[in-house]
Amino acid sequence: MEGFGCLICVAQSTVGVIEKWGKFSGLAQPGLHCLNPFTGEWLAGRLSLRVQSLDVRCDTKTKDNVFVSVVCSIQYRVVRQNADDAFYELQNPKEQIQSYVFDVVRACVPRMILDDVFEQKDDIAKAVSEELEKVMGAYGYSIEQTLIVDIIPDSTVRRAMNEINAAQRMRMAAFDKAEAEKILQVKKAEGEAEAKYLNGRGIARQRQAITDGLRESVLQFSNNVPGTTSKDVMDLVLITQYFDTMKEIGAGSKNTTVFLPHGPGHVGDITQQIRDGMMQASASSD
């Protein structure tokens, strides 16, 4: 018989259960108590009033046929006023709590897919807490908190989930890289198009300036030299341009061999060829 004697000491956050001739007599609060063993009083046991924690691991299956382990942490305590019910009604309160946790978790999780189990773990904890409060309250226990501390899918499922996540991230990285390369190509093409456009405008302006200069030169030469025609002046200008071109080729840093027919007779042929080419270009542009 525990505590059989005259004096007993009940520690803080603890309550003692006193019986008299085998029948519940009362609760001994923390402190020193004097019992009379000759009248059948004795200390039947002690109950801790501290908050206790119980971790329950429950294996179950989700709606999409994935096996998971759900770990629940139950925080409970004995209600001081109902300590006699907690002492006499339940032989093993931890097994009782564990059984109800199994029942609620295995009723909730199979109605969810795996992703919903992670997202709605608070709903599962709430359902477990409500069931335990309803049942364990009748036995003198108070459920302080119920937490879903871990959800562990099967190892093969975890590897598959990691591979899916890695593949998604690689696809996003490849997409971003392709978009960056696309932007570079577009910007490069736009730059080349703009450069060609500006280059074309420059060439057009250059040709316009050459044409205007030639026109003014022909008019001035015709006015200053009597008896000359526009054809004579154009021949002279073309020959001058021809020799300037030959001079530039010869003065270039990289010498290049150019085979051209050269002589007094060929100069006239070259002039005629240049004139014909300009006339054809003018006709095609019209």
Side-chain angles (χ1 to χ4, degrees), residues 127 155 158 172 194-195 209 222 239 255 262:
S155 58
R158 292 201 302 271
M172 293 176 62
E194 185 68 18
S222 299
I239 292 300
N255 295 326
H262 187 69

Side-chain angles (χ1 to χ4, degrees), residues 9-77:
C9 183
V10 179
Q12 185 66 32
S13 298
T14 306
V15 64
V17 179
I18 300 174
E19 292 181 351
K20 187 174 183 180
W21 301 120
K23 181 181 178 181
F24 174 72
S25 175
L27 298 175
Q29 304 300 326
L32 183 65
H33 298 270
C34 180
L35 301 180
N36 186 359
F38 298 103
T39 61
E41 290 183 339
W42 68 293
L43 182 65
R46 292 182 172 88
L47 286 176
S48 175
L49 300 178
R50 295 178 180 178
V51 176
Q52 303 180 60
S53 179
L54 174 64
D55 291 339
V56 181
R57 183 187 181 106
C58 178
D59 296 327
T60 184
K61 185 181 72 169
T62 63
K63 187 176 181 179
D64 49 350
N65 296 323
V66 177
F67 286 91
V68 295
S69 294
V70 181
V71 181
C72 301
S73 179
I74 311 300
Q75 320 234 325
Y76 65 99
R77 69 190 309 167

Side-chain angles (χ1 to χ4, degrees), residues 3 6 42 54 68 98 105 129 133 174 181 200 209 220 274 276 282:
C6 296
W42 68 293
L54 174 64
V68 295
Q98 187 178 33
V105 170
S129 179
E133 286 178 359
E181 292 179 353
Q220 291 177 2
I274 295 174
D276 293 342
S282 176

Side-chain angles (χ1 to χ4, degrees), residues 18-233:
I18 300 174
E19 292 181 351
K20 187 174 183 180
W21 301 120
K23 181 181 178 181
F24 174 72
S25 175
L27 298 175
Q29 304 300 326
L32 183 65
H33 298 270
C34 180
L35 301 180
N36 186 359
F38 298 103
T39 61
E41 290 183 339
W42 68 293
L43 182 65
R46 292 182 172 88
L47 286 176
S48 175
L49 300 178
R50 295 178 180 178
V51 176
Q52 303 180 60
S53 179
L54 174 64
D55 291 339
V56 181
R57 183 187 181 106
C58 178
D59 296 327
T60 184
K61 185 181 72 169
T62 63
K63 187 176 181 179
D64 49 350
N65 296 323
V66 177
F67 286 91
V68 295
S69 294
V70 181
V71 181
C72 301
S73 179
I74 311 300
Q75 320 234 325
Y76 65 99
R77 69 190 309 167
V78 174
V79 180
R80 184 186 298 270
Q81 296 80 0
N82 301 326
D84 54 332
D85 292 332
F87 185 80
Y88 290 105
E89 296 293 335
L90 292 179
Q91 183 175 2
N92 193 330
K94 291 185 177 181
E95 289 186 0
Q96 188 79 3
I97 292 174
Q98 187 178 33
S99 299
Y100 282 103
V101 171
F102 284 166
D103 182 66
V104 176
V105 170
R106 288 173 178 168
C108 293
V109 173
R111 296 198 296 264
M112 305 177 182
I113 62 175
L114 181 61
D115 292 340
D116 291 343
V117 174
F118 284 95
E119 295 175 1
Q120 302 177 20
K121 66 183 186 67
D122 291 341
D123 295 338
I124 300 175
K126 183 179 179 181
V128 173
S129 179
E130 291 176 351
E131 183 67 19
L132 289 178
E133 286 178 359
K134 181 175 62 176
V135 175
M136 300 303 294
Y139 299 121
Y141 285 90
S142 172
I143 305 300
E144 301 296 321
Q145 189 66 265
T146 301
L147 303 172
I148 304 296
V149 296
D150 204 358
I151 299 172
I152 308 172
D154 187 77
S155 58
T156 57
V157 177
R158 292 201 302 271
R159 286 196 299 269
M161 293 173 66
N162 291 333
E163 290 175 359
I164 291 172
N165 186 271
Q168 290 177 346
R169 293 182 181 275
M170 291 178 63
R171 184 168 61 251
M172 293 176 62
F175 177 79
D176 292 341
K177 182 179 180 181
E179 285 294 320
E181 292 179 353
K182 176 183 176 182
I183 293 173
L184 290 176
Q185 293 293 334
V186 170
K187 292 299 181 183
K188 182 178 179 182
E190 290 178 353
E192 292 178 353
E194 185 68 18
K196 289 179 180 179
Y197 171 73
L198 296 176
N199 187 32
R201 293 188 61 183
I203 293 174
R205 290 178 179 178
Q206 180 185 16
R207 290 177 178 176
Q208 184 64 38
I210 293 173
T211 303
D212 294 341
L214 289 175
R215 183 185 300 109
E216 293 178 1
S217 298
V218 170
L219 293 175
Q220 291 177 2
F221 196 87
S222 299
N223 294 331
N224 295 331
V225 181
T228 58
T229 62
S230 299
K231 178 179 180 301
D232 297 333
V233 177

